[in-house]
Amino acid sequence: MKNEKYNITGMSCSACSARIEKTLQKLPGISTITVNLLTNSMQVSYDETILSSAEIIQAVIKAGYGASLPNSTKTVKNTLDTSAETTTMKHNLIGSVLFLLPLIYISMHTMWYHLFGIPVPSIITQLFDGSKNALTYAYTQFLLLIPIMLYNKNYYRNGLKNLWHAAPNMDSLVALGSLASTIFGIFAIYRIGIGLGTGNLPLVQTYSTNLYFESAGMIVTLVSIGKYLEKLAKNKTGTAIKRLMDLSPQQATILRQNKAITIAIDKLQVGDLLQIKPGERIPADGIIQQGITTIDESALTGESMPVEKQVGDTVTSATLNKTGTIHVTAQRVGTDTTLQQIIQLMDAATTSKAPIAKIADTIAFYFVPIVIGIALIATAAWYFIMDTTIEFSFSIGISILVISCPCALGLATPVAIMVGMGKGAESGILIKSGEALEIAHHVDTIVLDKTGTITTGTPTITDILPYSLDQKRLLSLAVGMEIGSEHPLGEAIRSYGKHHKIAPTTVDTMKAIFGKGIEATIQGRIYYAGNTTLLQEKHLDLTSILPKIHQLSDEGKTPLIFASATQILGIIAVADPPKQTSESAINALKKLGLSIIMLTGDNQRTANALKNQLKIPRVIAEVLPQDKETHIANLQSEGHVVAMIGDGINDAPALARADLGIALSAGTDIAMDSADAILIKNDLNDAVNVIRLSKCVLRNIKENLFWAFIYNIIGIPLAAGVLYPLYGIKLNPMIAAAAMSCSSICVVLNALRLRHFNTEQKL
């Protein structure tokens, strides 16, 4: 299956996105389609042996919209950077208002005088008042309306085109409402002319006061004001992604034959030696070859404290070099860097839809045709059944058309997802899809891997217990014996020796004994380093040290016994300590009401020690990596919604099996297919924030959908005049247009509240 992203043009509401999705679902080879109204993009998964991208684009065009393939990650930025489009909208809006103001004044100057006492210049009275000036009054309004319609021609062009394709959208409702008002006004001009020609002044009076030109202009202008304000608010939803894109430097300095050369970032190759001075951002992922510095990684991880780096340490693209000049060998460049992977991940995530959005999409697909039907029925009912004037019935139909707002339904989910995911990314939390975000809201069981998740994943020496040797000689022997070992315990001893500058004992020969330890020869004498099984096999008496061995094991430590062929020399205990944040994270997960299980391959004694230390409710120990998936499946069969938190490598099958897979990462292996969410800071507390963020976003989506539905449920009957017979309440088309614009703005502004989400307190 091939996954591709497309840029879509011509969409104005969720009826458009639903139309495109339903059209493409009919094509052979299509697997999944997600159309995002907010980003004007489409994600398609299809069988490339059956279908081509050209056929997909053609299908979208036949549906009445435009489609094109993106051109690398620059398209992501172009999708979000809508400054040119916003500027055009602003200019059109200013032009519309400049012509609308005199139009409104001319059409309503008499009313304003009677209601507010606003004086009317004599020139206005001479030109426009009275039946004798009715044609001048009407034509002037019509001439002022024409520029307004030209400034807003997209509503008519797109709306009528989609109506022609039997796929009416929000633009269709606006176009129909405005054009109907305009046509009625033109009809009124003819009636005024007939009245003046025949001397029928009552006819002239009737139609000169019911022109509706101001309504036609006001409808599109108010909708444009709403769209412009909505665009300004929507531009803020992609702030996090745009901020990440702006972090990437445009140039890099490389060293060739000891000369510094500046090249464009897209010319950088794997293996290039980079020179990065203080104050410069790192252009690629790589390893420090020379220099010591501190790196500000806050832009990617959210961690405010700079991190010390030296030779051999990894550095990440887009992070800021603070103090020293360093030389770095580039390992990942271009689209392979951490920054670009994060951008692509976020872009895919914000294009995706949460399952809850399907409700709105289904309704939106049928919404506009139903609204048009309601408008026609209501107009006919008021005219033929209620026996009202054609003007009254006509205004009812227009009000229904322009107050209906499928746009609010379509924006309810994507704006909340984009803002929520952007806020998560700012804190080092990447959630891959809207579906994962919604699932996190329903999780009731958290399964935690131990090594690298709860613990640091780096064993360290905790106890040094000399017996027949002093501590210095014991450590020298240990470091010497472990020099060639690949075991994590050996790595802990070597690191300790390096840090404390311990000179290793020279070892003549060394042999690893699988699962037990090592045997070494030093100056013709045999020495052992290993567990109790090894030493018992070598017939050494462990009676005196067994109590200490058991004590260390109960504390979650692994004792490594050193001995000669005849006696015990000492014990060095190694442990993988819990991270500083693990206890607080586990307590926070408990407060969220989640069941917590630790799944580990360690023995039961070591697992119980960590369980008691961190107060973990349930532990399943001695589990092989391939069996972790089975335990997840068993929990799911019991009806639990399970989140698995692991390091994303050894736990890949379990992460894939879980309803929600959360991978802790050091920030360089971002795009792991097995995980649904990735925690860049490698901090278990961020798993808590995944759940909290999910709850906040889902609550926000439900609020948006509620108000979008309630608005239409109340607004459409009100526009249809249901309260008029009892209370005389009837919506003017201009008020209906203003209300429609406000509904979309309110949905976007409500979603922007998610920008206040933080890791310390609830929204």
Side-chain angles (χ1 to χ4, degrees):
M1 300 299 288
K2 188 175 184 179
N3 292 301
E4 277 185 328
K5 182 181 178 181
Y6 296 79
N7 297 324
I8 304 296
T9 58
M11 294 193 299
S12 64
C13 68
S14 55
C16 301
S17 57
R19 165 75 175 175
I20 294 171
E21 287 181 1
K22 287 190 175 292
T23 299
L24 293 190
Q25 281 169 356
K26 299 175 183 177
L27 296 178
I30 288 286
S31 176
T32 59
I33 310 162
T34 304
V35 181
N36 191 308
L37 175 65
L38 182 64
T39 58
N40 291 312
S41 61
M42 175 177 71
Q43 202 80 31
V44 182
S45 177
Y46 66 97
D47 187 343
E48 65 269 33
T49 63
I50 300 176
L51 194 63
S52 69
S53 57
E55 290 173 311
I56 291 173
I57 291 172
Q58 193 59 38
V60 174
I61 293 172
K62 285 185 178 179
Y65 305 91
S68 62
L69 283 168
N71 181 19
S72 78
T73 55
K74 292 181 180 178
T75 302
V76 178
K77 188 166 186 176
N78 293 337
T79 301
L80 295 167
D81 185 9
T82 55
S83 56
E85 182 183 352
T86 305
T87 301
T88 301
M89 290 179 69
K90 181 180 179 180
H91 289 162
N92 289 341
L93 180 58
I94 291 172
S96 299
V97 171
L98 288 177
F99 283 95
L100 180 65
L101 291 177
L103 171 59
I104 292 175
Y105 182 75
I106 291 171
S107 64
M108 299 182 178
H109 68 274
T110 304
M111 180 186 71
W112 287 1
Y113 173 73
H114 291 300
L115 289 178
F116 308 111
I118 299 175
V120 180
S122 58
I123 185 71
I124 298 295
T125 303
Q126 293 171 7
L127 286 175
F128 302 120
D129 284 0
S131 298
K132 62 180 180 181
N133 294 320
L135 275 179
T136 306
Y137 177 67
Y139 272 124
T140 302
Q141 291 184 52
F142 179 55
L143 292 175
L144 287 170
L145 173 63
I146 291 173
I148 298 174
M149 297 180 76
L150 291 174
Y151 277 121
N152 296 278
K153 59 183 178 294
N154 284 338
Y155 290 118
Y156 307 105
R157 183 171 57 198
N158 294 335
L160 296 177
K161 182 178 70 174
N162 282 285
L163 194 62
W164 177 259
H165 285 92
N169 59 3
M170 189 203 74
D171 286 351
S172 303
L173 298 178
V174 173
L176 286 174
S178 180
L179 283 175
S181 299
T182 303
I183 292 169
F184 186 86
I186 294 171
F187 170 74
I189 289 176
Y190 280 96
R191 295 294 287 167
I192 290 170
I194 292 171
L196 288 174
T198 59
N200 188 347
L201 295 183
L203 182 65
V204 173
Q205 180 66 24
T206 297
Y207 281 96
S208 64
T209 55
N210 289 285
L211 290 169
Y212 282 104
F213 286 132
E214 79 283 358
S215 292
M218 183 71 84
I219 287 169
V220 290
T221 303
L222 285 175
V223 172
S224 293
I225 291 172
K227 283 289 184 184
Y228 177 67
L229 295 175
E230 179 188 314
K231 172 65 73 174
L232 294 179
K234 282 164 64 176
N235 286 347
K236 295 179 181 179
T237 63
T239 300
I241 302 180
K242 286 182 279 190
R243 188 181 295 126
L244 282 176
M245 292 182 197
D246 292 338
L247 291 177
S248 181
Q250 299 304 306
Q251 294 181 323
T253 302
I254 62 173
L255 295 172
R256 289 180 181 168
Q257 298 178 348
N258 294 324
K259 291 184 179 180
I261 303 171
T262 301
I263 62 171
I265 192 71
D266 56 358
K267 303 295 184 183
L268 200 58
Q269 297 180 358
V270 173
D272 281 340
L273 185 62
L274 306 169
Q275 181 186 69
I276 304 157
K277 296 180 180 179
E280 294 181 346
R281 291 200 178 273
I282 297 171
D285 295 358
I287 297 177
I288 297 177
Q289 301 297 328
Q290 180 181 319
I292 299 174
T293 189
T294 56
I295 302 291
D296 180 356
E297 299 180 338
S298 60
L300 294 186
T301 67
E303 180 58 56
S304 58
M305 292 298 294
V307 181
E308 293 183 358
K309 299 281 186 176
Q310 58 184 345
V311 174
D313 289 339
T314 59
V315 292
T316 308
S317 60
T319 55
L320 181 64
N321 184 27
K322 296 284 287 184
T323 54
T325 297
I326 54 175
H327 294 171
V328 174
T329 299
Q331 289 188 315
R332 295 183 179 183
V333 299
T335 57
D336 293 330
T337 64
T338 297
L339 176 67
Q340 292 300 329
Q341 288 185 26
I342 291 174
I343 291 170
Q344 294 297 336
L345 241 179
M346 288 185 63
D347 183 48
T350 52
T351 303
S352 68
K353 286 185 179 178
I356 194 172
K358 295 177 182 178
I359 301 171
D361 287 348
T362 301
I363 292 173
F365 183 74
Y366 300 102
F367 182 84
V368 177
I370 290 173
V371 166
I372 294 173
I374 291 173
L376 292 173
I377 292 170
T379 301
W382 277 104
Y383 184 72
F384 293 108
I385 299 175
M386 303 299 291
D387 196 25
T388 60
T389 63
I390 184 65
E391 293 82 4
F392 183 96
S393 305
F394 187 75
S395 68
I396 289 287
I398 295 174
S399 296
I400 293 172
L401 289 173
V402 297
I403 200 171
S404 307
C405 189
C407 195
L409 289 173
L411 290 172
T413 300
V415 291
I417 287 177
M418 177 169 274
V419 177
M421 289 183 171
K423 194 63 184 177
E426 289 177 359
S427 301
I429 301 169
L430 299 180
I431 302 173
K432 286 188 174 181
S433 67
E435 183 178 6
L437 191 67
E438 182 168 341
I439 289 172
H441 175 67
H442 300 290
V443 166
D444 60 27
T445 302
I446 298 283
V447 177
L448 302 170
D449 173 49
K450 172 183 169 288
T451 305
T453 301
I454 298 176
T455 65
T456 62
T458 305
T460 57
I461 290 178
T462 58
D463 299 84
I464 303 171
L465 306 172
Y467 284 88
S468 302
L469 295 177
D470 61 34
Q471 180 170 311
K472 184 177 180 181
R473 289 179 61 195
L474 175 62
L475 286 169
S476 177
L477 176 68
V479 172
M481 293 180 68
E482 296 291 352
I483 282 179
S485 173
E486 296 180 357
H487 196 279
L489 299 181
E491 173 62 30
I493 292 173
R494 290 197 303 274
S495 296
Y496 185 91
K498 181 179 179 181
H499 182 72
H500 291 84
K501 299 181 180 178
I502 295 170
T505 299
T506 301
V507 176
D508 299 326
T509 63
M510 193 273 285
K511 178 177 67 173
I513 303 171
F514 182 74
K516 298 173 185 178
I518 57 177
E519 178 182 318
T521 303
I522 302 172
Q523 296 180 353
R525 299 181 64 185
I526 295 176
Y527 291 86
Y528 303 104
N531 55 25
T532 55
T533 303
L534 172 64
L535 298 185
Q536 285 170 346
E537 288 179 356
K538 301 304 178 182
H539 308 293
L540 287 161
D541 184 9
L542 305 180
T543 305
S544 62
I545 65 170
L546 278 178
K548 191 63 180 179
I549 295 294
H550 293 321
Q551 178 190 335
L552 292 170
S553 297
D554 289 338
E555 292 172 356
K557 302 170 183 177
T558 302
L560 195 61
I561 308 166
F562 290 84
S564 66
T566 58
Q567 62 181 340
I568 303 299
L569 302 177
I571 301 172
I572 296 179
V574 177
D576 182 7
K579 297 174 184 175
Q580 293 181 350
T581 57
S582 290
E583 185 173 4
S584 62
I586 289 169
N587 290 334
L589 289 170
K590 289 178 184 176
K591 289 180 181 178
L592 289 174
L594 302 173
S595 299
I596 302 170
I597 301 170
M598 183 177 78
L599 208 59
T600 178
D602 284 354
N603 61 65
Q604 192 67 53
R605 177 172 276 169
T606 302
N608 284 338
L610 190 61
K611 172 186 177 182
N612 296 331
Q613 182 181 352
L614 300 181
K615 298 179 178 61
I616 301 172
R618 182 183 172 191
V619 167
I620 303 174
E622 301 177 10
V623 179
L624 296 174
Q626 61 267 31
D627 293 333
K628 288 184 178 181
E629 180 186 6
T630 303
H631 285 280
I632 299 294
N634 290 340
L635 288 168
Q636 291 172 325
S637 67
E638 294 171 5
H640 296 290
V641 180
V642 183
M644 171 69 190
I645 307 176
D647 61 15
I649 301 171
N650 296 329
D651 302 309
L655 288 168
R657 166 63 67 178
D659 298 287
L660 179 72
I662 302 176
L664 276 74
S665 166
T668 53
D669 292 314
I670 297 296
M672 290 180 288
D673 294 334
S674 55
D676 301 302
I678 298 163
L679 312 181
I680 299 176
K681 287 189 291 186
N682 210 28
D683 187 343
L684 195 56
N685 268 318
D686 283 339
V688 180
N689 290 322
V690 169
I691 306 297
R692 288 185 53 240
L693 181 62
S694 169
K695 292 181 182 295
C696 285
V697 172
L698 262 292
R699 183 170 67 245
N700 192 277
I701 289 173
K702 289 176 181 178
E703 290 169 355
N704 287 344
L705 288 174
F706 172 79
W707 289 114
F709 282 126
I710 288 297
Y711 164 81
N712 284 295
I713 289 170
I714 295 174
I716 293 175
L718 194 62
V722 294
L723 297 181
Y724 187 79
L726 293 176
Y727 304 104
I729 297 175
K730 170 185 169 293
L731 281 184
N732 183 286
M734 292 182 287
I735 297 174
M740 189 271 276
S741 296
C742 287
S743 67
S744 296
I745 297 170
C746 289
V747 164
V748 176
L749 292 178
N750 186 52
L752 287 174
R753 289 173 56 243
L754 288 167
R755 296 169 71 190
H756 301 296
F757 175 88
N758 61 62
T759 57
E760 301 297 329
Q761 61 185 34
K762 293 184 179 180
L763 183 69

